[in-house]
Amino acid sequence: MFGGSRWQSMSKAQVQMVALTSIIALFGAVWMATSQPQEQSCCRCFPGDDCWPSPEEWNGFNETISGGLIATVPIASPCHDGFPGVEYDAEKCADIQANWARPSLHFASTHSTMASFFANLSCDPFTPRDSPCVAGAYVSYAVNASGVSEYRETVAFAKKHNIRLVIRNTGHDYMGKSTGAGALALWTHNIKALSVLDYTSPAYAGKAMKIGAGVQASEAQALAKANGLVVVEGDCPSVGIAGGYTQGGGTSPLASKFGLAADQVLEWEVLTGKGEFLTATPTQNSDLYWALCGGGGGTYGVVLSMTVKLHQDQPTAGATLSFAESSDVVYWNLVRSFLMNLPAILDAGATVYFQFLPGNTFSLPQSYFLGGTAEDLEHLFQPTIQALNQSGIPYTWNSSDFPAFRDAFDTLNPEMDIFEFNLGGRLIPRSLVLSEGSATSLVSAIKSIVAQGGIVAAVAMDVSRPPTFPNSVHPLWRESVFMTFLGTMYDRLNMTNNIIDQRKVTHVFDPALEELTPGGAAYLNEADIHQPDWQNVFYGANYPRLAAIKKAYDPDGIFWGPTAVGSEGWSVSGDGRLCKTPT
């Protein structure tokens, strides 16, 4: 259709426009042929509905955003026959399958979610060649945003045409907020502005970092390290740092030293559902600032940037520990000793990651102690090490000194592949590990989960100190000793198994810990998507105020995500469209 000379003579924006026009026309015909035209006034408009924008309207919108509209072509489409404009390619498919667990394959796309459960086999590289490959549960289009103009135009277009709107950066998302059938995604991934500042406000003066909406943790930490500083980030280096991670609270290897990611925020730049571009700080639009700092992402507005406190980098110690034991009594007594050892470790400023695996196997693959030494860590873990020595079972303990935090992080966490999981979780209060009796009850609950085929993993942090500025993080974070996430491994080949296992998480695994923590909490970024009473479990007493702020800044409800504040007014129907919940 297009000769090489024509491509070369056109600008990048013109090339994108011509290519998109062709894709829109082709996809439009397919949608009209395959979708049921069941437009409903109580639902968001869906491909195939009469209200769905025409190719001319999509092209007109594309012009307003300088050619930044991208139609979804599933990244696994070369593994199948039948997706419009894509041919089966065995070599490409093999490469996609080999790299499916790599975050980079997904975060470079506009649509692919790393939690395969939410793709619902729409176009899966591991299903047979003749299996369906459709946009399905993926977004239909995405806007490659570069700034406020694209934000504003996208929100306005979604409102005008009553289209479901999704906010997406990398696709790191256990809760299904960054995808949606028939949705238009505001893709923030290429907003990479990043700078170190000398920041001054009435409550804070010091080094800070302004972080664009598309910046990933590794990018922010690299700039911080170059300046002799650290930024509070998560465990996975490819996670977007200014999105749902920080807005949902944000666990971190540095949390015992500095608190949660939400505790670091000095200000936000955000476009609200009303189309207003605002700066939110503890003193300016302070209600919006409060909500964004821990009240969940993608519901009050779409963030363009955040500015956070930086901290001095220091030599960092790290340690690992593993052991296994066939005797239930010996193994779980050792686990209890370890759990009761945690408060002293955390109080000193260390953060610890650990797992309880089938076969009475314990693994502690990461621990970090900024400003500490290997000798300090060995001293802090001494009650656990002593219990292991007394038991006589073999174990592996290693501790090391590193010149800076990033050196420890890169060594202990060299490559973070996608962890596909049927997920649940709970915050465990410190009170449960302070006495032998309560610790024994906690061990029994964990043991029951593992005995039924579950895996229990945890991040232990001391985030008890109040933040510099009040925020909407669930108050029970301040009483926690660790955050646990639990469940079973995702089955790539059998969606029925995943549905059964997710129900098991909801009705068996989570309740084992909920019984010990009545009225308790879970981390809203890593939890059960079907969590009962999620408003209280994820947001606690903050929920009524958060709901009021949501209504004030997004009165039309254009921003929506599962379990996000205000989301109970809508639900996903059987065909994937988003509809108002009957009252």
Side-chain angles (χ1 to χ4, degrees):
M1 183 176 178
F2 302 113
S5 59
R6 177 169 181 179
W7 285 112
Q8 292 165 4
S9 66
M10 299 170 72
S11 70
K12 181 179 179 181
Q14 288 173 319
V15 169
Q16 290 175 330
M17 191 78 72
V18 172
L20 186 72
T21 300
S22 303
I23 292 173
I24 288 173
L26 179 60
F27 283 15
V30 173
W31 280 327
M32 292 305 292
T34 60
S35 299
Q36 296 296 320
Q38 46 183 332
E39 180 180 352
Q40 303 175 37
S41 60
C42 63
C43 297
R44 295 295 186 203
C45 194
F46 204 66
D49 291 346
D50 291 341
C51 60
W52 188 252
S54 66
E56 292 76 19
E57 288 172 311
W58 281 113
N59 287 323
F61 172 52
N62 193 34
E63 291 179 6
T64 69
I65 55 173
S66 303
L69 187 64
I70 302 169
T72 292
V73 178
I75 58 175
S77 53
C79 294
H80 300 280
D81 297 309
F83 193 84
V86 181
E87 295 183 357
Y88 175 79
D89 188 316
E91 185 175 345
K92 285 184 179 178
C93 181
D95 185 65
I96 291 166
Q97 290 173 336
N99 288 283
W100 196 252
R102 305 285 186 267
S104 56
L105 179 69
H106 303 273
F107 69 62
S109 83
T110 59
H111 61 276
S112 188
T113 175
M114 297 188 202
S116 295
F117 190 90
F118 296 105
N120 195 28
L121 301 179
S122 297
C123 186
D124 192 286
F126 300 102
T127 55
R129 174 179 171 175
D130 60 356
S131 297
C133 177
V134 294
Y138 293 131
V139 300
S140 296
Y141 292 98
V143 172
N144 185 8
S146 60
V148 175
S149 175
E150 290 90 352
Y151 278 28
R152 187 171 280 122
E153 293 290 346
T154 302
V155 170
F157 187 83
K159 279 188 173 184
K160 177 181 178 181
H161 295 280
N162 190 30
I163 297 172
R164 180 177 178 180
L165 181 66
V166 163
I167 311 303
R168 173 192 167 84
N169 177 7
T170 65
H172 278 283
D173 177 14
Y174 279 119
M175 304 303 286
K177 292 183 172 71
S178 62
T179 193
L184 172 63
L186 188 51
W187 191 41
T188 67
H189 185 61
N190 292 311
I191 302 176
K192 297 289 191 180
L194 187 62
S195 59
V196 173
L197 314 170
D198 290 309
Y199 191 91
T200 302
S201 73
Y204 176 80
K207 292 293 183 180
M209 180 178 283
K210 187 171 183 178
I211 300 171
V215 172
Q216 292 163 274
S218 60
E219 296 165 333
Q221 201 65 265
L223 180 60
K225 184 183 179 184
N227 287 270
L229 302 164
V230 293
V231 60
V232 172
E233 59 151 308
D235 187 44
C236 184
S238 59
V239 167
I241 198 168
Y245 163 71
T246 295
Q247 293 171 48
T251 64
S252 174
L254 295 167
S256 289
K257 279 288 186 180
F258 307 120
L260 296 166
D263 299 339
Q264 317 305 311
V265 182
L266 299 166
E267 63 180 66
W268 302 91
E269 289 183 320
V270 57
L271 185 85
T272 71
K274 295 192 289 188
E276 300 172 318
F277 184 62
L278 303 175
T279 297
T281 75
T283 57
Q284 181 182 0
N285 300 307
S286 58
D287 55 345
L288 182 58
Y289 167 88
W290 179 84
L292 288 169
C293 294
T299 192
Y300 314 100
V302 53
V303 165
L304 181 69
S305 77
M306 72 173 183
T307 302
V308 299
K309 292 184 284 185
L310 294 176
H311 305 278
Q312 191 65 42
D313 199 359
Q314 298 178 61
T316 301
T320 63
L321 172 66
S322 62
F323 61 88
E325 168 56 33
S326 58
S327 167
D328 269 9
V329 173
V330 173
Y331 176 77
W332 292 108
N333 281 343
L334 287 169
V335 167
R336 183 180 62 197
S337 296
F338 166 74
L339 294 177
M340 294 183 70
N341 190 181
L342 282 174
I345 298 171
L346 306 185
D347 289 348
T351 299
V352 180
Y353 294 73
F354 55 94
Q355 304 166 356
F356 304 111
L357 305 171
N360 284 359
T361 300
F362 173 88
S363 173
L364 190 155
Q366 303 175 60
S367 61
Y368 303 94
F369 190 8
L370 185 78
T373 66
E375 185 178 354
D376 293 333
L377 271 181
E378 187 160 357
H379 175 73
L380 289 170
F381 276 89
Q382 199 54 223
T384 299
I385 294 172
Q386 184 176 356
L388 284 163
N389 288 333
Q390 290 174 349
S391 75
I393 71 169
Y395 65 93
T396 302
W397 163 266
N398 289 297
S399 60
S400 303
D401 291 307
F402 300 91
F405 167 72
R406 183 69 183 268
D407 300 307
F409 184 82
D410 289 345
T411 300
L412 297 173
N413 189 22
E415 186 173 356
M416 178 64 72
D417 285 345
I418 296 169
F419 192 56
E420 293 184 292
F421 213 55
N422 299 304
L423 185 67
R426 198 72 171 175
L427 296 188
I428 303 302
R430 179 175 286 232
S431 60
L432 284 183
V433 299
L434 295 181
S435 72
E436 189 169 304
S438 58
T440 297
S441 297
L442 177 57
V443 166
S444 295
I446 295 171
K447 179 181 177 181
S448 73
I449 295 168
V450 177
Q452 297 177 81
I455 295 172
V456 178
V459 184
M461 311 165 291
D462 174 17
V463 295
S464 60
R465 69 183 63 82
T468 304
F469 313 112
N471 62 34
S472 56
V473 165
H474 197 304
L476 291 182
W477 269 111
R478 309 305 175 185
E479 301 174 18
S480 66
V481 65
F482 61 85
M483 180 276 289
T484 183
F485 46 100
L486 53 87
T488 64
M489 296 304 297
Y490 180 84
D491 188 339
R492 287 176 173 170
L493 303 178
N494 193 322
M495 182 59 74
T496 300
N497 282 350
N498 294 317
I499 293 170
I500 292 170
D501 278 5
Q502 194 63 51
R503 287 174 180 165
K504 192 173 185 180
V505 167
T506 302
H507 299 293
V508 180
F509 291 174
D510 275 343
L513 295 175
E514 290 167 359
E515 186 176 347
L516 297 177
T517 57
Y523 180 27
L524 64 88
N525 284 341
E526 296 180 9
D528 179 9
I529 188 64
H530 302 300
Q531 173 67 55
D533 191 26
W534 56 265
Q535 293 91 338
N536 287 322
V537 174
F538 294 161
Y539 305 96
N542 292 331
Y543 194 81
R545 182 182 175 193
L546 288 168
I549 294 169
K550 159 73 173 175
K551 188 174 182 179
Y553 287 96
D554 183 28
D556 298 323
I558 192 63
F559 300 117
W560 186 89
T563 73
V565 169
S567 63
E568 55 270 88
W570 296 79
S571 59
V572 177
S573 66
D575 62 0
R577 69 179 69 221
L578 186 64
C579 297
K580 290 182 179 178
T581 303
T583 55

